[in-house]
Amino acid sequence: MMNEVSLTRLYVLRAMYLLVVVGLALSLWPGVFASKKPFSAWEFFRGVETSMMAAFWLLCVLGIRYPLQLLPVLMWELLWKTIWLIAVPLPLWLNGTLDDKLLPNVFAIGAVILVYAAIPWSYVYRHYIKKQGDQWRKT
């Protein structure tokens, strides 16, 4: 199964996981460790977001070792970021009302273009679209 994707593409995927690991290590963990409030006292959505991003970080750490097996994690990132870009800043930009305060987020989330480039799309097609799914019941 591993020879379906070139070694170069596997290293590109590993680099993508590593980029996420380093990026979140620099942006997520300092806020967690420097927080004056205990985690249980955080605002609900901040706690949810932090927990989800920490789980994503851990899965990306595993993705460095198992780049193809953890591919759905990168696909999840690709999907939520694409949906957000289409649903939030695009309509504002089309209406001429995109706020300058939102631009850093647009650029940060817009880096999802790197995920599009890293994913081996022929592998995704063969394994997630063309391949028969797992059975639903005993035959």
Side-chain angles (χ1 to χ4, degrees), residues 13 16-17 20-21 24 52-64 66-81 112 115 119 124 128:
L13 279 172
M16 189 74 252
Y17 289 111
V20 172
V21 167
L24 283 178
M52 287 178 60
M53 296 310 286
F56 179 62
W57 183 83
L58 288 167
L59 290 171
C60 285
V61 169
L62 282 176
I64 295 169
Y66 305 106
L68 292 178
Q69 290 87 334
L70 275 289
L71 199 53
V73 172
L74 286 183
M75 293 168 58
W76 175 79
E77 180 185 29
L78 181 140
L79 290 170
W80 84 256
K81 287 183 175 184
V112 73
V115 180
I119 289 182
V124 169
Y128 296 105

Side-chain angles (χ1 to χ4, degrees), residues 33-70:
F33 294 122
S35 178
K36 304 225 185 297
K37 291 182 182 180
F39 194 73
S40 60
W42 285 4
E43 176 189 323
F44 176 75
F45 282 112
R46 180 175 179 220
V48 168
E49 175 190 21
T50 302
S51 298
M52 287 178 60
M53 296 310 286
F56 179 62
W57 183 83
L58 288 167
L59 290 171
C60 285
V61 169
L62 282 176
I64 295 169
R65 183 167 182 185
Y66 305 106
L68 292 178
Q69 290 87 334
L70 275 289

Side-chain angles (χ1 to χ4, degrees), residues 2 15 39-40 47 54 73 79 87 95 97 107 126 128 135 138:
M2 281 299 210
F39 194 73
S40 60
V73 172
L79 290 170
N95 291 335
T97 59
F107 288 120
R126 286 190 310 275
Y128 296 105
Q135 68 183 25
K138 290 184 180 184

